[in-house]
Amino acid sequence: MARRLPKSERSPSPPPPPPGDQRDAAIQELSKGSELATQLMAQLELIPERELNGRRDDALANVRSLSMSLSSSLYALRSERREHYYCGSSSSGGAGPAAVTSVSGGGRGGGSGARNKTKRRRGKHGEELTETVFVTTTPENDGFHWRKYGEKKILNSEFPRLYYRCGYSDERKCQAKKYVQQENNKHPPEFRVTLTKEHTCNTLFQDQPSSSSTNSQVLDFTKASISSPLMDSHVGAPTLKEEEEEEVPSIDESSRIMSTIMRNYGAYGDYDESSPQPWNGAGWQ
DNA sequence: GCGATTTGACCGCA
DNA sequence: TGCGGTCAAATCGC
């Protein structure tokens, strides 16, 4: 495997921040899209169920997802106007406000109503370990490249906990980890995501491994392993920091994000609400 | 063949 | 001692 040089050894070339007017243009377009989605939803609701052969609900659900996605994208872009993605500090000092698309009202094991928490605890060897916990409907969309390394049935939990580490943990010695646990069977389901350690890979939306298998469960947003309306890129983006080197996804990247989302809209349609199944990181089982 | 996922076993902490 | 987190061999898919 070709090893990638750590950032410190590479020429300093973070993706240039997009010009402000391009970002504004993107925001405007997303706003329009969001409004249109809302209108479409209203129009769909006016159509008699029988005229759509019983598919109105599906269509409504899709439009709802679309609307959510656009809103989330808008949120993300707007947030980036003053905050930016950061792949290097997940939390120390307090996690940035993860954009939580959906907040669980409860959830087992403490953290009821937890929107986004940062807590400190000691790691195996006594080192300080900061965790950021939040609930989201789109655990995969944080813009980082994750590799699943384990899955564990958790006591008193209906769903197993999935363990991910940064996809660049080896080649870039990135220690970032992420635990994802489905909390309920809502539509879309909510996931409690715990981020530990810091990303030191600086690989947000870039350097996609060319050989990742198609069926990969790596939580790679560029592949959008599940559908997801959203881009709470910051959600997951472990952190958004206001002061640090600029690492803002370019407009091109944002477009890629959007197209990826769009391509995967169907996924929620695959989710059978009547017989909920746990999400395995790649899709509904 | 390679890289990613699965899953049972192991380890350490509370 | 039980549980959560990680490891690593087996398996899978391209």
Side-chain angles (χ1 to χ4, degrees):
Chain A
M1 241 198 285
R3 296 188 64 84
R4 294 162 199 267
L5 288 172
K7 189 181 180 185
S8 60
E9 295 175 30
R10 284 183 284 150
S11 54
S13 55
D21 53 345
Q22 280 188 23
R23 182 179 297 280
D24 287 343
I27 288 174
Q28 272 191 3
E29 291 302 312
L30 283 171
S31 297
K32 269 192 242 171
S34 186
E35 283 174 26
L36 289 172
T38 305
Q39 287 177 24
L40 181 55
M41 218 185 309
Q43 289 166 353
L44 270 173
E45 281 169 352
L46 293 176
I47 301 176
E49 180 77 36
R50 56 187 153 75
E51 288 187 22
L52 290 174
N53 296 324
R55 293 191 173 179
R56 194 184 67 167
D57 286 347
D58 288 346
L60 272 172
N62 287 336
V63 177
R64 225 170 270 137
S65 294
L66 172 61
S67 180
M68 243 174 81
S69 187
L70 289 170
S71 300
S72 299
S73 302
L74 261 174
Y75 181 94
L77 277 174
R78 282 175 175 153
S79 299
E80 285 163 14
R81 295 172 70 89
R82 37 178 228 88
E83 301 172 327
H84 35 270
Y85 294 96
Y86 179 74
C87 179
S89 164
S90 102
S91 38
S92 20
V100 182
T101 53
S102 176
V103 177
S104 159
R108 293 183 191 85
S112 65
R115 181 178 285 264
N116 178 10
K117 285 187 184 174
T118 297
K119 61 181 177 183
R120 291 173 184 282
R121 72 176 186 190
R122 297 284 164 182
K124 269 189 178 177
H125 306 291
E127 77 274 27
E128 189 163 288
L129 196 60
T130 305
E131 286 184 344
T132 299
V133 181
F134 59 89
V135 177
T136 178
T137 56
T138 56
E140 80 291 4
N141 289 338
D142 59 10
F144 295 108
H145 177 65
W146 298 101
R147 173 179 301 178
K148 186 178 178 182
Y149 67 89
E151 179 175 332
K152 185 95 176 174
K153 174 78 181 132
I154 300 300
L155 195 72
N156 294 327
S157 182
E158 187 178 351
F159 307 99
R161 177 174 300 171
L162 309 182
Y163 299 89
Y164 297 89
R165 62 163 56 100
C166 178
Y168 300 101
S169 59
D170 293 331
E171 52 199 72
R172 296 192 185 183
K173 304 284 183 259
C174 180
Q175 293 194 304
K177 284 181 186 167
K178 179 174 178 173
Y179 310 142
V180 177
Q181 183 156 20
Q182 188 176 340
E183 296 223 308
N184 53 45
N185 285 324
K186 289 181 187 175
H187 184 57
E190 293 174 340
F191 301 86
R192 179 172 300 276
V193 178
T194 303
L195 300 166
T196 66
K197 301 278 186 136
E198 301 179 349
H199 273 283
T200 54
C201 53
N202 293 289
T203 51
L204 187 63
F205 297 130
Q206 52 182 326
D207 287 359
Q208 297 311 309
S210 57
S211 58
S212 55
S213 76
T214 318
N215 199 25
S216 167
Q217 280 203 352
V218 166
L219 290 181
D220 183 348
F221 188 34
T222 60
K223 286 190 298 185
S225 50
I226 67 173
S227 68
S228 157
L230 113 65
M231 115 138 258
D232 29 287
S233 323
H234 4 294
V235 167
T239 326
L240 296 171
K241 287 186 100 182
E242 299 214 10
E243 300 164 0
E244 279 292 345
E245 55 183 312
E246 289 270 347
E247 290 225 0
V248 184
S250 66
I251 285 294
D252 282 349
E253 283 167 339
S254 297
S255 309
R256 188 148 48 94
I257 292 165
M258 284 306 298
S259 62
T260 305
I261 290 169
M262 298 304 180
R263 257 184 282 127
N264 288 276
Y265 268 143
Y268 275 139
D270 296 337
Y271 180 82
D272 183 356
E273 205 167 6
S274 61
S275 55
Q277 293 168 329
W279 177 67
N280 66 5
W284 303 107
Q285 296 175 331

mmCIF file of all heavy atoms in Angstrom, chain A residues 149-191:
data_model
loop_
_atom_site.group_PDB
_atom_site.id
_atom_site.type_symbol
_atom_site.label_atom_id
_atom_site.label_comp_id
_atom_site.label_asym_id
_atom_site.label_seq_id
_atom_site.Cartn_x
_atom_site.Cartn_y
_atom_site.Cartn_z
ATOM 1 N N TYR A 149 -14.280 -1.279 12.165
ATOM 2 C CA TYR A 149 -13.374 -2.311 12.680
ATOM 3 C C TYR A 149 -14.046 -3.197 13.704
ATOM 4 O O TYR A 149 -13.443 -4.148 14.200
ATOM 5 C CB TYR A 149 -12.113 -1.686 13.277
ATOM 6 C CG TYR A 149 -12.338 -0.866 14.533
ATOM 7 C CD1 TYR A 149 -12.304 -1.453 15.796
ATOM 8 C CD2 TYR A 149 -12.566 0.483 14.436
ATOM 9 C CE1 TYR A 149 -12.479 -0.711 16.935
ATOM 10 C CE2 TYR A 149 -12.752 1.249 15.580
ATOM 11 C CZ TYR A 149 -12.708 0.640 16.828
ATOM 12 O OH TYR A 149 -12.899 1.377 17.964
ATOM 13 N N GLY A 150 -15.280 -2.921 13.992
ATOM 14 C CA GLY A 150 -15.951 -3.799 14.933
ATOM 15 C C GLY A 150 -17.416 -3.467 15.106
ATOM 16 O O GLY A 150 -17.885 -2.415 14.702
ATOM 17 N N GLU A 151 -18.094 -4.399 15.677
ATOM 18 C CA GLU A 151 -19.511 -4.217 15.925
ATOM 19 C C GLU A 151 -19.816 -4.984 17.190
ATOM 20 O O GLU A 151 -19.312 -6.083 17.394
ATOM 21 C CB GLU A 151 -20.306 -4.767 14.738
ATOM 22 C CG GLU A 151 -21.793 -4.645 14.891
ATOM 23 C CD GLU A 151 -22.520 -5.114 13.615
ATOM 24 O OE1 GLU A 151 -21.932 -5.006 12.527
ATOM 25 O OE2 GLU A 151 -23.642 -5.597 13.740
ATOM 26 N N LYS A 152 -20.591 -4.422 18.038
ATOM 27 C CA LYS A 152 -20.818 -5.078 19.321
ATOM 28 C C LYS A 152 -22.248 -4.871 19.791
ATOM 29 O O LYS A 152 -22.779 -3.783 19.740
ATOM 30 C CB LYS A 152 -19.867 -4.463 20.349
ATOM 31 C CG LYS A 152 -19.904 -5.128 21.686
ATOM 32 C CD LYS A 152 -18.816 -6.150 21.732
ATOM 33 C CE LYS A 152 -18.737 -6.788 23.101
ATOM 34 N NZ LYS A 152 -17.767 -7.880 23.081
ATOM 35 N N LYS A 153 -22.828 -5.925 20.225
ATOM 36 C CA LYS A 153 -24.148 -5.837 20.815
ATOM 37 C C LYS A 153 -23.959 -5.216 22.186
ATOM 38 O O LYS A 153 -23.152 -5.658 22.994
ATOM 39 C CB LYS A 153 -24.751 -7.239 20.926
ATOM 40 C CG LYS A 153 -26.061 -7.288 21.654
ATOM 41 C CD LYS A 153 -27.198 -6.824 20.762
ATOM 42 C CE LYS A 153 -28.526 -6.857 21.549
ATOM 43 N NZ LYS A 153 -29.310 -5.634 21.425
ATOM 44 N N ILE A 154 -24.685 -4.180 22.436
ATOM 45 C CA ILE A 154 -24.562 -3.480 23.699
ATOM 46 C C ILE A 154 -25.724 -3.830 24.613
ATOM 47 O O ILE A 154 -26.865 -3.911 24.179
ATOM 48 C CB ILE A 154 -24.534 -1.957 23.462
ATOM 49 C CG1 ILE A 154 -23.331 -1.607 22.580
ATOM 50 C CG2 ILE A 154 -24.478 -1.202 24.759
ATOM 51 C CD1 ILE A 154 -21.995 -1.977 23.162
ATOM 52 N N LEU A 155 -25.368 -4.037 25.841
ATOM 53 C CA LEU A 155 -26.371 -4.406 26.828
ATOM 54 C C LEU A 155 -27.492 -3.365 26.867
ATOM 55 O O LEU A 155 -27.252 -2.173 26.833
ATOM 56 C CB LEU A 155 -25.701 -4.500 28.195
ATOM 57 C CG LEU A 155 -26.522 -5.205 29.273
ATOM 58 C CD1 LEU A 155 -26.560 -6.697 28.985
ATOM 59 C CD2 LEU A 155 -25.892 -4.937 30.631
ATOM 60 N N ASN A 156 -28.687 -3.841 26.971
ATOM 61 C CA ASN A 156 -29.854 -2.971 27.058
ATOM 62 C C ASN A 156 -30.058 -2.100 25.831
ATOM 63 O O ASN A 156 -30.744 -1.097 25.900
ATOM 64 C CB ASN A 156 -29.776 -2.064 28.288
ATOM 65 C CG ASN A 156 -29.870 -2.865 29.556
ATOM 66 O OD1 ASN A 156 -30.553 -3.891 29.602
ATOM 67 N ND2 ASN A 156 -29.182 -2.413 30.583
ATOM 68 N N SER A 157 -29.439 -2.473 24.792
ATOM 69 C CA SER A 157 -29.621 -1.691 23.586
ATOM 70 C C SER A 157 -30.145 -2.607 22.489
ATOM 71 O O SER A 157 -29.641 -3.711 22.288
ATOM 72 C CB SER A 157 -28.301 -1.053 23.157
ATOM 73 O OG SER A 157 -28.519 -0.267 22.010
ATOM 74 N N GLU A 158 -31.128 -2.125 21.812
ATOM 75 C CA GLU A 158 -31.752 -2.929 20.778
ATOM 76 C C GLU A 158 -30.838 -3.115 19.565
ATOM 77 O O GLU A 158 -30.889 -4.099 18.855
ATOM 78 C CB GLU A 158 -33.033 -2.222 20.338
ATOM 79 C CG GLU A 158 -33.894 -2.988 19.390
ATOM 80 C CD GLU A 158 -35.157 -2.209 19.068
ATOM 81 O OE1 GLU A 158 -35.422 -1.183 19.706
ATOM 82 O OE2 GLU A 158 -35.884 -2.651 18.153
ATOM 83 N N PHE A 159 -29.990 -2.145 19.366
ATOM 84 C CA PHE A 159 -29.123 -2.184 18.187
ATOM 85 C C PHE A 159 -27.659 -2.309 18.576
ATOM 86 O O PHE A 159 -27.241 -1.829 19.613
ATOM 87 C CB PHE A 159 -29.333 -0.920 17.356
ATOM 88 C CG PHE A 159 -30.766 -0.673 17.016
ATOM 89 C CD1 PHE A 159 -31.526 0.224 17.760
ATOM 90 C CD2 PHE A 159 -31.368 -1.372 15.983
ATOM 91 C CE1 PHE A 159 -32.863 0.438 17.458
ATOM 92 C CE2 PHE A 159 -32.704 -1.159 15.672
ATOM 93 C CZ PHE A 159 -33.468 -0.249 16.416
ATOM 94 N N PRO A 160 -26.894 -2.930 17.717
ATOM 95 C CA PRO A 160 -25.460 -3.069 18.003
ATOM 96 C C PRO A 160 -24.758 -1.734 17.836
ATOM 97 O O PRO A 160 -25.245 -0.834 17.153
ATOM 98 C CB PRO A 160 -24.991 -4.060 16.946
ATOM 99 C CG PRO A 160 -25.931 -3.866 15.808
ATOM 100 C CD PRO A 160 -27.268 -3.557 16.443
ATOM 101 N N ARG A 161 -23.626 -1.605 18.445
ATOM 102 C CA ARG A 161 -22.806 -0.409 18.286
ATOM 103 C C ARG A 161 -21.749 -0.718 17.224
ATOM 104 O O ARG A 161 -21.152 -1.789 17.226
ATOM 105 C CB ARG A 161 -22.144 -0.042 19.616
ATOM 106 C CG ARG A 161 -21.227 1.149 19.531
ATOM 107 C CD ARG A 161 -20.723 1.543 20.896
ATOM 108 N NE ARG A 161 -21.828 1.904 21.785
ATOM 109 C CZ ARG A 161 -21.678 2.126 23.085
ATOM 110 N NH1 ARG A 161 -20.494 2.001 23.639
ATOM 111 N NH2 ARG A 161 -22.717 2.454 23.816
ATOM 112 N N LEU A 162 -21.576 0.195 16.338
ATOM 113 C CA LEU A 162 -20.597 -0.001 15.268
ATOM 114 C C LEU A 162 -19.358 0.830 15.595
ATOM 115 O O LEU A 162 -19.460 1.974 16.017
ATOM 116 C CB LEU A 162 -21.176 0.449 13.924
ATOM 117 C CG LEU A 162 -22.545 -0.132 13.578
ATOM 118 C CD1 LEU A 162 -22.993 0.341 12.196
ATOM 119 C CD2 LEU A 162 -22.525 -1.647 13.608
ATOM 120 N N TYR A 163 -18.221 0.248 15.377
ATOM 121 C CA TYR A 163 -16.961 0.910 15.692
ATOM 122 C C TYR A 163 -16.210 1.277 14.410
ATOM 123 O O TYR A 163 -15.980 0.424 13.564
ATOM 124 C CB TYR A 163 -16.085 -0.003 16.557
ATOM 125 C CG TYR A 163 -16.726 -0.355 17.868
ATOM 126 C CD1 TYR A 163 -17.541 -1.475 17.974
ATOM 127 C CD2 TYR A 163 -16.542 0.440 18.986
ATOM 128 C CE1 TYR A 163 -18.148 -1.803 19.170
ATOM 129 C CE2 TYR A 163 -17.140 0.120 20.197
ATOM 130 C CZ TYR A 163 -17.948 -0.991 20.282
ATOM 131 O OH TYR A 163 -18.540 -1.301 21.473
ATOM 132 N N TYR A 164 -15.852 2.506 14.324
ATOM 133 C CA TYR A 164 -15.111 2.962 13.150
ATOM 134 C C TYR A 164 -13.843 3.688 13.586
ATOM 135 O O TYR A 164 -13.815 4.339 14.610
ATOM 136 C CB TYR A 164 -15.949 3.945 12.325
ATOM 137 C CG TYR A 164 -17.205 3.358 11.763
ATOM 138 C CD1 TYR A 164 -18.394 3.380 12.491
ATOM 139 C CD2 TYR A 164 -17.212 2.772 10.502
ATOM 140 C CE1 TYR A 164 -19.565 2.846 11.970
ATOM 141 C CE2 TYR A 164 -18.371 2.229 9.976
ATOM 142 C CZ TYR A 164 -19.556 2.276 10.719
ATOM 143 O OH TYR A 164 -20.706 1.741 10.196
ATOM 144 N N ARG A 165 -12.841 3.553 12.774
ATOM 145 C CA ARG A 165 -11.643 4.347 12.985
ATOM 146 C C ARG A 165 -11.378 5.083 11.685
ATOM 147 O O ARG A 165 -11.905 4.733 10.638
ATOM 148 C CB ARG A 165 -10.457 3.476 13.374
ATOM 149 C CG ARG A 165 -10.029 2.469 12.340
ATOM 150 C CD ARG A 165 -8.619 1.978 12.642
ATOM 151 N NE ARG A 165 -8.520 1.419 13.988
ATOM 152 C CZ ARG A 165 -8.535 0.142 14.278
ATOM 153 N NH1 ARG A 165 -8.631 -0.719 13.301
ATOM 154 N NH2 ARG A 165 -8.443 -0.281 15.511
ATOM 155 N N CYS A 166 -10.588 6.087 11.786
ATOM 156 C CA CYS A 166 -10.289 6.887 10.607
ATOM 157 C C CYS A 166 -9.697 5.990 9.520
ATOM 158 O O CYS A 166 -8.857 5.139 9.794
ATOM 159 C CB CYS A 166 -9.322 8.014 10.944
ATOM 160 S SG CYS A 166 -8.865 9.011 9.506
ATOM 161 N N GLY A 167 -10.146 6.188 8.311
ATOM 162 C CA GLY A 167 -9.645 5.393 7.205
ATOM 163 C C GLY A 167 -8.164 5.599 6.957
ATOM 164 O O GLY A 167 -7.513 4.828 6.259
ATOM 165 N N TYR A 168 -7.634 6.646 7.547
ATOM 166 C CA TYR A 168 -6.210 6.928 7.372
ATOM 167 C C TYR A 168 -5.452 6.645 8.662
ATOM 168 O O TYR A 168 -4.375 7.177 8.881
ATOM 169 C CB TYR A 168 -6.017 8.381 6.954
ATOM 170 C CG TYR A 168 -6.709 8.689 5.657
ATOM 171 C CD1 TYR A 168 -7.935 9.344 5.639
ATOM 172 C CD2 TYR A 168 -6.155 8.283 4.444
ATOM 173 C CE1 TYR A 168 -8.586 9.606 4.449
ATOM 174 C CE2 TYR A 168 -6.800 8.543 3.238
ATOM 175 C CZ TYR A 168 -8.019 9.211 3.256
ATOM 176 O OH TYR A 168 -8.657 9.456 2.071
ATOM 177 N N SER A 169 -6.061 5.821 9.501
ATOM 178 C CA SER A 169 -5.429 5.548 10.789
ATOM 179 C C SER A 169 -4.023 4.979 10.641
ATOM 180 O O SER A 169 -3.145 5.251 11.443
ATOM 181 C CB SER A 169 -6.297 4.593 11.606
ATOM 182 O OG SER A 169 -6.471 3.392 10.891
ATOM 183 N N ASP A 170 -3.839 4.202 9.614
ATOM 184 C CA ASP A 170 -2.520 3.595 9.425
ATOM 185 C C ASP A 170 -1.571 4.530 8.690
ATOM 186 O O ASP A 170 -0.521 4.884 9.179
ATOM 187 C CB ASP A 170 -2.646 2.290 8.625
ATOM 188 C CG ASP A 170 -3.381 1.246 9.419
ATOM 189 O OD1 ASP A 170 -3.297 1.289 10.665
ATOM 190 O OD2 ASP A 170 -4.030 0.390 8.816
ATOM 191 N N GLU A 171 -2.023 4.899 7.500
ATOM 192 C CA GLU A 171 -1.105 5.675 6.684
ATOM 193 C C GLU A 171 -0.852 7.069 7.208
ATOM 194 O O GLU A 171 0.188 7.650 6.938
ATOM 195 C CB GLU A 171 -1.597 5.735 5.249
ATOM 196 C CG GLU A 171 -3.010 6.189 5.096
ATOM 197 C CD GLU A 171 -3.568 5.792 3.728
ATOM 198 O OE1 GLU A 171 -3.818 4.602 3.497
ATOM 199 O OE2 GLU A 171 -3.730 6.691 2.902
ATOM 200 N N ARG A 172 -1.774 7.605 7.945
ATOM 201 C CA ARG A 172 -1.526 8.951 8.470
ATOM 202 C C ARG A 172 -1.525 8.988 9.977
ATOM 203 O O ARG A 172 -1.592 10.053 10.591
ATOM 204 C CB ARG A 172 -2.573 9.921 7.926
ATOM 205 C CG ARG A 172 -2.473 10.046 6.424
ATOM 206 C CD ARG A 172 -3.272 11.191 5.896
ATOM 207 N NE ARG A 172 -3.224 11.186 4.440
ATOM 208 C CZ ARG A 172 -3.790 12.098 3.673
ATOM 209 N NH1 ARG A 172 -4.464 13.089 4.222
ATOM 210 N NH2 ARG A 172 -3.692 12.037 2.377
ATOM 211 N N LYS A 173 -1.542 7.848 10.550
ATOM 212 C CA LYS A 173 -1.495 7.762 11.996
ATOM 213 C C LYS A 173 -2.609 8.569 12.642
ATOM 214 O O LYS A 173 -2.424 9.165 13.698
ATOM 215 C CB LYS A 173 -0.141 8.256 12.520
ATOM 216 C CG LYS A 173 1.048 7.518 11.925
ATOM 217 C CD LYS A 173 1.196 6.140 12.558
ATOM 218 C CE LYS A 173 2.427 5.406 12.019
ATOM 219 N NZ LYS A 173 2.117 4.417 11.007
ATOM 220 N N CYS A 174 -3.711 8.612 11.985
ATOM 221 C CA CYS A 174 -4.836 9.373 12.522
ATOM 222 C C CYS A 174 -5.565 8.496 13.533
ATOM 223 O O CYS A 174 -5.954 7.374 13.243
ATOM 224 C CB CYS A 174 -5.782 9.789 11.400
ATOM 225 S SG CYS A 174 -7.195 10.731 11.982
ATOM 226 N N GLN A 175 -5.758 9.018 14.718
ATOM 227 C CA GLN A 175 -6.336 8.196 15.781
ATOM 228 C C GLN A 175 -7.835 8.408 15.970
ATOM 229 O O GLN A 175 -8.429 7.870 16.902
ATOM 230 C CB GLN A 175 -5.618 8.502 17.085
ATOM 231 C CG GLN A 175 -4.167 8.052 17.079
ATOM 232 C CD GLN A 175 -3.608 8.064 18.472
ATOM 233 O OE1 GLN A 175 -3.642 9.091 19.144
ATOM 234 N NE2 GLN A 175 -3.108 6.938 18.924
ATOM 235 N N ALA A 176 -8.402 9.194 15.098
ATOM 236 C CA ALA A 176 -9.827 9.487 15.258
ATOM 237 C C ALA A 176 -10.658 8.209 15.232
ATOM 238 O O ALA A 176 -10.422 7.309 14.442
ATOM 239 C CB ALA A 176 -10.260 10.435 14.155
ATOM 240 N N LYS A 177 -11.632 8.173 16.115
ATOM 241 C CA LYS A 177 -12.525 7.029 16.155
ATOM 242 C C LYS A 177 -13.949 7.519 16.297
ATOM 243 O O LYS A 177 -14.201 8.615 16.768
ATOM 244 C CB LYS A 177 -12.186 6.122 17.331
ATOM 245 C CG LYS A 177 -10.963 5.307 17.052
ATOM 246 C CD LYS A 177 -10.657 4.399 18.193
ATOM 247 C CE LYS A 177 -9.332 3.696 17.940
ATOM 248 N NZ LYS A 177 -8.843 3.049 19.128
ATOM 249 N N LYS A 178 -14.828 6.643 15.928
ATOM 250 C CA LYS A 178 -16.233 7.010 15.929
ATOM 251 C C LYS A 178 -17.067 5.792 16.280
ATOM 252 O O LYS A 178 -16.868 4.714 15.734
ATOM 253 C CB LYS A 178 -16.575 7.507 14.527
ATOM 254 C CG LYS A 178 -17.998 7.926 14.279
ATOM 255 C CD LYS A 178 -18.034 8.515 12.885
ATOM 256 C CE LYS A 178 -19.409 8.930 12.465
ATOM 257 N NZ LYS A 178 -19.376 9.639 11.166
ATOM 258 N N TYR A 179 -17.957 5.953 17.226
ATOM 259 C CA TYR A 179 -18.856 4.852 17.572
ATOM 260 C C TYR A 179 -20.254 5.288 17.150
ATOM 261 O O TYR A 179 -20.679 6.379 17.464
ATOM 262 C CB TYR A 179 -18.871 4.587 19.078
ATOM 263 C CG TYR A 179 -17.490 4.446 19.676
ATOM 264 C CD1 TYR A 179 -17.208 4.953 20.933
ATOM 265 C CD2 TYR A 179 -16.474 3.808 18.971
ATOM 266 C CE1 TYR A 179 -15.949 4.832 21.493
ATOM 267 C CE2 TYR A 179 -15.216 3.680 19.528
ATOM 268 C CZ TYR A 179 -14.961 4.196 20.787
ATOM 269 O OH TYR A 179 -13.710 4.076 21.340
ATOM 270 N N VAL A 180 -20.941 4.426 16.478
ATOM 271 C CA VAL A 180 -22.277 4.762 16.007
ATOM 272 C C VAL A 180 -23.269 3.750 16.544
ATOM 273 O O VAL A 180 -23.102 2.554 16.371
ATOM 274 C CB VAL A 180 -22.344 4.747 14.459
ATOM 275 C CG1 VAL A 180 -23.755 5.026 13.993
ATOM 276 C CG2 VAL A 180 -21.372 5.767 13.894
ATOM 277 N N GLN A 181 -24.266 4.245 17.191
ATOM 278 C CA GLN A 181 -25.274 3.332 17.705
ATOM 279 C C GLN A 181 -26.670 3.838 17.359
ATOM 280 O O GLN A 181 -27.044 4.957 17.671
ATOM 281 C CB GLN A 181 -25.154 3.202 19.220
ATOM 282 C CG GLN A 181 -26.160 2.201 19.769
ATOM 283 C CD GLN A 181 -25.723 1.617 21.084
ATOM 284 O OE1 GLN A 181 -24.896 2.183 21.765
ATOM 285 N NE2 GLN A 181 -26.281 0.491 21.437
ATOM 286 N N GLN A 182 -27.398 2.992 16.689
ATOM 287 C CA GLN A 182 -28.764 3.364 16.335
ATOM 288 C C GLN A 182 -29.588 3.424 17.598
ATOM 289 O O GLN A 182 -29.471 2.582 18.480
ATOM 290 C CB GLN A 182 -29.351 2.339 15.350
ATOM 291 C CG GLN A 182 -30.699 2.761 14.798
ATOM 292 C CD GLN A 182 -31.215 1.781 13.757
ATOM 293 O OE1 GLN A 182 -30.436 1.012 13.179
ATOM 294 N NE2 GLN A 182 -32.501 1.792 13.506
ATOM 295 N N GLU A 183 -30.424 4.418 17.686
ATOM 296 C CA GLU A 183 -31.188 4.603 18.905
ATOM 297 C C GLU A 183 -32.654 4.232 18.777
ATOM 298 O O GLU A 183 -33.302 3.934 19.764
ATOM 299 C CB GLU A 183 -31.106 6.064 19.326
ATOM 300 C CG GLU A 183 -29.711 6.488 19.683
ATOM 301 C CD GLU A 183 -29.714 7.322 20.930
ATOM 302 O OE1 GLU A 183 -30.481 8.297 20.960
ATOM 303 O OE2 GLU A 183 -28.983 6.975 21.863
ATOM 304 N N ASN A 184 -33.170 4.327 17.609
ATOM 305 C CA ASN A 184 -34.593 4.057 17.472
ATOM 306 C C ASN A 184 -34.925 3.660 16.040
ATOM 307 O O ASN A 184 -34.061 3.614 15.178
ATOM 308 C CB ASN A 184 -35.399 5.277 17.890
ATOM 309 C CG ASN A 184 -34.938 6.509 17.131
ATOM 310 O OD1 ASN A 184 -34.743 6.458 15.923
ATOM 311 N ND2 ASN A 184 -34.727 7.603 17.830
ATOM 312 N N ASN A 185 -36.173 3.421 15.837
ATOM 313 C CA ASN A 185 -36.620 3.002 14.511
ATOM 314 C C ASN A 185 -37.392 4.088 13.786
ATOM 315 O O ASN A 185 -38.194 3.812 12.918
ATOM 316 C CB ASN A 185 -37.525 1.775 14.636
ATOM 317 C CG ASN A 185 -36.720 0.536 14.943
ATOM 318 O OD1 ASN A 185 -35.613 0.373 14.450
ATOM 319 N ND2 ASN A 185 -37.265 -0.322 15.768
ATOM 320 N N LYS A 186 -37.136 5.289 14.194
ATOM 321 C CA LYS A 186 -37.853 6.366 13.527
ATOM 322 C C LYS A 186 -37.512 6.367 12.054
ATOM 323 O O LYS A 186 -36.623 5.675 11.594
ATOM 324 C CB LYS A 186 -37.455 7.708 14.138
ATOM 325 C CG LYS A 186 -37.983 7.927 15.534
ATOM 326 C CD LYS A 186 -37.539 9.297 16.005
ATOM 327 C CE LYS A 186 -37.888 9.517 17.461
ATOM 328 N NZ LYS A 186 -37.344 10.801 17.940
ATOM 329 N N HIS A 187 -38.171 7.188 11.341
ATOM 330 C CA HIS A 187 -37.916 7.290 9.904
ATOM 331 C C HIS A 187 -37.581 8.728 9.589
ATOM 332 O O HIS A 187 -38.471 9.553 9.495
ATOM 333 C CB HIS A 187 -39.150 6.847 9.143
ATOM 334 C CG HIS A 187 -38.937 6.844 7.669
ATOM 335 N ND1 HIS A 187 -37.945 6.118 7.051
ATOM 336 C CD2 HIS A 187 -39.583 7.509 6.667
ATOM 337 C CE1 HIS A 187 -38.028 6.309 5.726
ATOM 338 N NE2 HIS A 187 -38.987 7.157 5.493
ATOM 339 N N PRO A 188 -36.400 9.107 9.408
ATOM 340 C CA PRO A 188 -35.233 8.243 9.472
ATOM 341 C C PRO A 188 -34.828 7.954 10.904
ATOM 342 O O PRO A 188 -35.148 8.724 11.803
ATOM 343 C CB PRO A 188 -34.161 9.084 8.783
ATOM 344 C CG PRO A 188 -34.552 10.489 9.087
ATOM 345 C CD PRO A 188 -36.063 10.492 9.092
ATOM 346 N N PRO A 189 -34.133 6.874 11.095
ATOM 347 C CA PRO A 189 -33.696 6.500 12.439
ATOM 348 C C PRO A 189 -32.633 7.455 12.952
ATOM 349 O O PRO A 189 -31.930 8.087 12.176
ATOM 350 C CB PRO A 189 -33.126 5.105 12.236
ATOM 351 C CG PRO A 189 -32.701 5.075 10.824
ATOM 352 C CD PRO A 189 -33.694 5.912 10.084
ATOM 353 N N GLU A 190 -32.528 7.520 14.237
ATOM 354 C CA GLU A 190 -31.526 8.399 14.822
ATOM 355 C C GLU A 190 -30.364 7.575 15.366
ATOM 356 O O GLU A 190 -30.549 6.460 15.840
ATOM 357 C CB GLU A 190 -32.158 9.220 15.936
ATOM 358 C CG GLU A 190 -33.170 10.189 15.396
ATOM 359 C CD GLU A 190 -33.914 10.897 16.510
ATOM 360 O OE1 GLU A 190 -33.936 10.401 17.627
ATOM 361 O OE2 GLU A 190 -34.474 11.970 16.236
ATOM 362 N N PHE A 191 -29.221 8.137 15.297
ATOM 363 C CA PHE A 191 -28.017 7.442 15.733
ATOM 364 C C PHE A 191 -27.272 8.298 16.739
ATOM 365 O O PHE A 191 -27.157 9.505 16.569
ATOM 366 C CB PHE A 191 -27.081 7.164 14.545
ATOM 367 C CG PHE A 191 -27.712 6.340 13.470
ATOM 368 C CD1 PHE A 191 -28.467 6.944 12.479
ATOM 369 C CD2 PHE A 191 -27.587 4.965 13.464
ATOM 370 C CE1 PHE A 191 -29.072 6.183 11.477
ATOM 371 C CE2 PHE A 191 -28.179 4.196 12.473
ATOM 372 C CZ PHE A 191 -28.926 4.811 11.477
#
